[in-house]
Amino acid sequence: MNQVTPWEVKGDIDYDKLIKEFGIKELKELPKEFNDNVLFRRKKIFAHRDMQRILEAIRDKKPFAMMTGLMPTGKFHIGHAILAQQMIFYQKLGAKVYIAVADVEAYHARGQSLEESKKIAIEEYITNYIAMGLDVKKCELYFQSNRSNDSKKSNAFYRLQNLLAGHVTFNEFKAVYGEITPGKMLSGLMQAADMLHAQLPEFEGTMPVIVPVGVDQDPHLRLARDMTKRIKAYKFVQLSSTYHVFVPGLNGGKMSASDPNSYIALTDDAKTIKKKVNKYAFSGGKETVEEHREKGGDPDIDVSYQWLTFFEEDDDKLKEIYDKYKAGDLLSGELKAILIEKLTETIGGYQSKRTEAQKTAEKLFKI
Ligand code: TRP
């Protein structure tokens, strides 16, 4: 069975079906600054709600905010890097950047202590965001359990969350989330407050907010949008959101934090990258070299090729790899070598900045 909810993603994911089921829209015609980014150009970010409002703000040079969040569990891997790239993209476009560490959600959904969440968030997530280029001094990065030391801000945030609870029904929670507990209900309300609070007078004031997320998060957005329409105590601009695909796991299945052979972590060294790709990357190649040369490989199911569509930015180079592999001129081992080189270069670049980045992250949260 396949299932896509904020708490669990199971089975094969049919993105076209999700577009219909969730009522999200395909992302079409974007301005140049978006298409310059691989994730938009290659439709890794494939759907949206109300994106127009953000494009207008950018066109008219009006202020807008980007808000997203992370659940700090396990290792930070290349699947997580997709969201980090978007944070950095919007920061460079001039958005006010808000990032929530979902430690309260991890407590309810994963049974993880706040202390553990803090450690993982700083060592894995925030350190890598900084190494990848996020300027944390120019963004509002906070933990759900501790919004701000400024009581005016903090009160405003938790007040909003409390009032939102009056504008959603138990049945709506059940319909949207499937399985539901008081803790998960609270996580949904907290995420709605995360997404909306930038618009409070104590923060930025009313403005469009773009929420880039994995498509599994759309249920949270649907609920938050309904609450936004109903709540009279506040005047919010309706939320905008975009949805990105999941990077496939090395073995062709799901990339999962509980299976280290399904991902490459940003802390994996060159030797580990090489070993994992050579040993575990699902191949679309043929059984023997002769057969491969004769019939060619299948790049569309080959994970090394699929990963290159996220990391090789040169369209011509990528097309050449695709054509050569399909024609049988490029062997599986050679394709893997191209991926290994690309990953080692990209991740190695981040790693050279990690020590400094971790210091910055620790200072930010006074560790
Ligand atoms: N639920 C998100 C996740 O599991 C994390 C999150 C918390 C979030 N608050 C958010 C995402 C606000 C987007 C916007 O990864």
Side-chain angles (χ1 to χ4, degrees):
M1 193 183 95
N2 57 25
Q3 187 185 15
V4 179
T5 75
W7 326 112
E8 195 160 37
V9 180
K10 270 203 300 221
D12 281 342
I13 300 155
D14 180 341
Y15 292 106
D16 289 331
K17 205 172 125 210
L18 283 181
I19 287 183
K20 287 206 193 86
E21 242 172 54
F22 287 180
I24 52 185
K25 294 225 160 59
E26 227 176 298
L27 209 50
K28 296 197 178 122
E29 287 155 57
L30 286 166
K32 181 173 179 305
E33 55 264 52
F34 283 79
N35 281 321
D36 284 347
N37 183 296
V38 166
L39 298 176
F40 285 102
R41 185 166 76 239
R42 300 211 179 120
K43 305 229 176 297
K44 304 301 183 193
I45 298 161
F46 68 100
H48 75 107
R49 286 182 193 275
D50 282 346
M51 180 64 164
Q52 204 49 41
R53 201 168 283 128
I54 300 300
L55 300 180
E56 281 165 17
I58 294 169
R59 187 197 61 201
D60 302 341
K61 305 203 167 16
K62 294 258 168 63
F64 73 103
M66 186 232 60
M67 197 290 136
T68 190
L70 59 123
M71 179 125 82
T73 50
K75 283 266 180 205
F76 187 86
H77 57 60
I78 61 166
H80 300 124
I82 302 304
L83 187 58
Q85 283 165 353
Q86 294 174 70
M87 296 172 183
I88 296 161
F89 170 78
Y90 285 111
Q91 187 171 54
K92 289 196 174 133
L93 268 184
K96 309 271 175 197
V97 174
Y98 279 63
I99 301 167
V101 176
D103 60 345
V104 170
E105 183 180 356
Y107 184 87
H108 292 304
R110 301 277 188 270
Q112 180 170 286
S113 73
L114 298 182
E115 292 75 22
E116 183 69 8
S117 282
K118 184 165 185 182
K119 186 168 178 292
I120 296 175
I122 292 172
E123 277 175 22
E124 290 290 332
Y125 289 75
I126 298 166
T127 293
N128 282 306
Y129 292 164
I130 299 171
M132 289 177 69
L134 185 77
D135 184 350
V136 280
K137 287 182 210 84
K138 281 200 215 131
C139 73
E140 293 254 355
L141 183 58
Y142 67 92
F143 287 73
Q144 283 181 330
S145 67
N146 189 3
R147 176 58 190 93
S148 174
N149 292 332
D150 175 343
S151 61
K152 275 208 181 77
K153 284 186 162 190
S154 219
N155 288 343
F157 175 74
Y158 295 108
R159 183 186 308 122
L160 169 61
Q161 186 199 334
N162 283 314
L163 296 197
L164 283 169
H167 304 280
V168 58
T169 69
F170 183 72
N171 281 338
E172 284 170 327
F173 270 121
K174 243 168 95 176
V176 170
Y177 290 155
E179 188 217 318
I180 189 76
T181 64
K184 285 181 179 173
M185 231 148 69
L186 186 122
S187 304
L189 291 168
M190 185 140 246
Q191 183 150 339
D194 284 335
M195 296 192 282
L196 288 166
H197 82 285
Q199 296 192 56
L200 296 174
E202 291 82 356
F203 293 87
E204 310 295 334
T206 318
M207 64 171 64
V209 179
I210 176 76
V211 184
V213 280
V215 69
D216 59 314
Q217 297 293 307
D218 187 56
H220 284 308
L221 272 135
R222 272 177 272 158
L223 275 183
R225 289 169 63 93
D226 284 344
M227 291 184 249
T228 305
K229 281 184 221 152
R230 295 170 189 158
I231 195 161
K232 295 284 177 286
Y234 300 93
K235 229 174 163 36
F236 292 124
V237 177
Q238 186 56 284
L239 294 165
S240 303
S241 47
T242 60
Y243 303 95
H244 56 83
V245 301
F246 300 104
V247 181
L250 251 193
N251 45 16
K254 219 188 107 200
M255 191 177 288
S256 158
S258 57
D259 175 10
N261 296 330
S262 73
Y263 62 75
I264 299 286
L266 262 71
T267 42
D268 283 347
D269 59 15
K271 220 173 100 200
T272 311
I273 294 175
K274 188 168 174 187
K275 196 186 95 199
K276 279 192 186 175
V277 172
N278 279 332
K279 197 158 170 196
Y280 301 109
F282 181 80
S283 168
K286 297 289 184 298
E287 287 289 320
T288 65
V289 174
E290 293 72 34
E291 199 191 344
H292 188 91
R293 291 260 184 245
E294 192 191 320
K295 298 189 181 143
D298 185 352
D300 296 313
I301 60 164
D302 190 291
V303 171
S304 299
Y305 177 78
Q306 291 309 318
W307 279 22
L308 281 170
T309 67
F310 287 88
F311 296 101
E312 175 50 70
E313 295 193 16
D314 185 331
D315 290 346
D316 295 336
K317 224 182 202 168
L318 189 69
K319 180 161 189 318
E320 193 185 321
I321 294 169
Y322 185 94
D323 291 342
K324 277 191 170 165
Y325 193 60
K326 210 163 179 160
D329 294 340
L330 195 69
L331 300 174
S332 281
E334 293 167 334
L335 177 58
K336 285 187 177 191
I338 296 174
L339 175 67
I340 290 165
E341 197 188 320
K342 188 82 221 169
L343 286 177
T344 311
E345 176 197 312
T346 310
I347 293 176
Y350 300 149
Q351 281 170 0
S352 66
K353 303 201 178 100
R354 266 187 67 93
T355 313
E356 264 310 297
Q358 183 153 351
K359 272 194 218 146
T360 310
E362 287 174 354
K363 226 164 64 206
L364 195 66
F365 293 102
K366 301 191 177 56
I367 290 189

